[in-house]
Amino acid sequence: MKILVCVTSVPDTITKITLTDNNTKLNKAGVQFITGPYDDYALSRAVELKEQQGGTVTVLNVGEADAEPVIRKCLAIGADDAIRVNAEPTDAYFVAEQIAAVARENSYDLILMGRESIDYNGGQVHGIVGEMLGIPSISPVMKLDIEGSTAKITREIEGGHEDLEAGLPLVLGCQEPIAEWKIPNMRGIMTARTKKLTVVEPAGKDTLTQISSYELPPARGACKMIPAEEAETLIRLLRTEAKVI
């Protein structure tokens, strides 16, 4: 079984975000980048499936050279090789176009990715990739087992869960608890240095959206401490100032 895992390189969740170019771009100076947390779940499940059933796991990232440390970490976790499309991930359609081009060329049985990235939180790429390839796309997937050429899936829906079966190939957007995050060990880190990382140029340049500007959330207001015995004061402030009751 050939598995393709698509990963994003995103700012660490504790990063202090600043903007540049008239508030149209992220200022990358001093920013620590990590694998998208939902992508980590997808990669972990892919490695488990490879260990259980054999096959290969390829990591794909659409990004520039500064994403390579994130890619190498994925190789250390257990991916066999990696592909980096040498382009800035400008929007969901462009990224999906690159993933679809790589998938067509290599004929993967299973394409996994996170349900969404944590920088834009669009949750669009898996659906667009499925449409471009003419194969099913399902998200958010919480459980995945493969039996022969059939995927047995549990996904989250409003108010509950849904159990599905779908034939391979297909595209899945993953979330917890599909697998537990894996931490690379020293052997994995050492072998990752010699694993193949292929850099390819983008297949197309169809960017359908442009960023007008970003806006940081307003600064937090001052915190008022109310003594426990002054419940009436707390209620009054919640009603007149916070206006939440």
Side-chain angles (χ1 to χ4, degrees):
M1 182 166 56
K2 292 177 64 176
I3 305 174
L4 179 67
V5 181
C6 308
V7 301
T8 53
S9 176
V10 297
D12 196 330
T13 52
I14 62 172
T15 296
K16 183 178 181 180
I17 298 298
T18 60
L19 304 172
T20 186
D21 288 4
N22 198 28
N23 292 340
T24 60
K25 290 184 178 180
L26 168 70
N27 182 5
K28 294 184 178 181
V31 175
Q32 175 69 40
F33 285 85
I34 61 171
T35 309
Y38 292 117
D39 303 330
D40 264 327
Y41 288 116
L43 175 61
S44 295
R45 186 58 184 142
V47 171
E48 290 174 353
L49 289 171
K50 182 187 76 168
E51 292 171 347
Q52 294 167 3
Q53 303 189 18
T56 59
V57 174
T58 298
V59 167
L60 171 62
N61 171 261
V62 180
E64 298 174 315
D66 56 7
E68 292 195 2
V70 166
I71 299 171
R72 288 292 177 190
K73 181 181 176 182
C74 295
L75 292 171
I77 286 173
D80 298 286
D81 63 331
I83 300 170
R84 180 174 66 82
V85 178
N86 187 32
E88 182 182 359
T90 49
D91 68 5
Y93 187 90
F94 176 79
V95 171
E97 190 176 30
Q98 308 315 310
I99 295 170
V102 171
R104 288 191 196 98
E105 186 175 343
N106 295 280
S107 300
Y108 296 99
D109 301 297
L110 188 60
I111 302 174
L112 303 181
M113 62 187 75
R115 60 175 289 179
E116 61 187 9
S117 62
I118 64 164
D119 47 5
Y120 291 99
N121 300 99
Q124 303 174 62
V125 173
H126 40 75
I128 301 174
V129 171
E131 178 65 22
M132 287 179 168
L133 296 175
I135 60 177
S137 172
I138 301 170
S139 181
V141 175
M142 305 171 62
K143 183 179 179 182
L144 170 64
D145 291 300
I146 304 295
E147 295 185 6
S149 60
T150 300
K152 294 190 174 183
I153 298 159
T154 299
R155 72 165 183 158
E156 184 178 13
I157 59 173
E158 186 173 356
H161 301 154
E162 181 178 47
D163 294 327
L164 303 168
E165 291 188 4
L168 303 180
L170 75 164
V171 183
L172 302 180
C174 304
Q175 69 170 39
E176 73 285 355
I178 193 169
E180 291 187 5
W181 285 347
K182 297 185 182 299
I183 300 173
N185 55 33
M186 184 55 65
R187 180 181 179 184
I189 294 170
M190 297 300 292
T191 58
R193 297 177 181 178
T194 60
K195 290 182 178 179
K196 187 176 180 181
L197 196 170
T198 303
V199 179
V200 299
E201 294 305 311
K205 298 182 179 180
D206 295 327
T207 299
L208 303 185
T209 58
Q210 291 183 337
I211 302 299
S212 298
S213 66
Y214 294 108
E215 184 176 340
L216 296 174
R220 292 183 179 181
C223 178
K224 291 184 178 181
M225 303 298 293
I226 309 299
E229 62 272 13
E230 297 183 17
E232 291 183 0
T233 301
L234 174 60
I235 294 170
R236 176 176 57 79
L237 293 174
L238 290 173
R239 179 177 291 118
T240 60
E241 291 190 11
K243 296 182 179 180
V244 294
I245 60 173

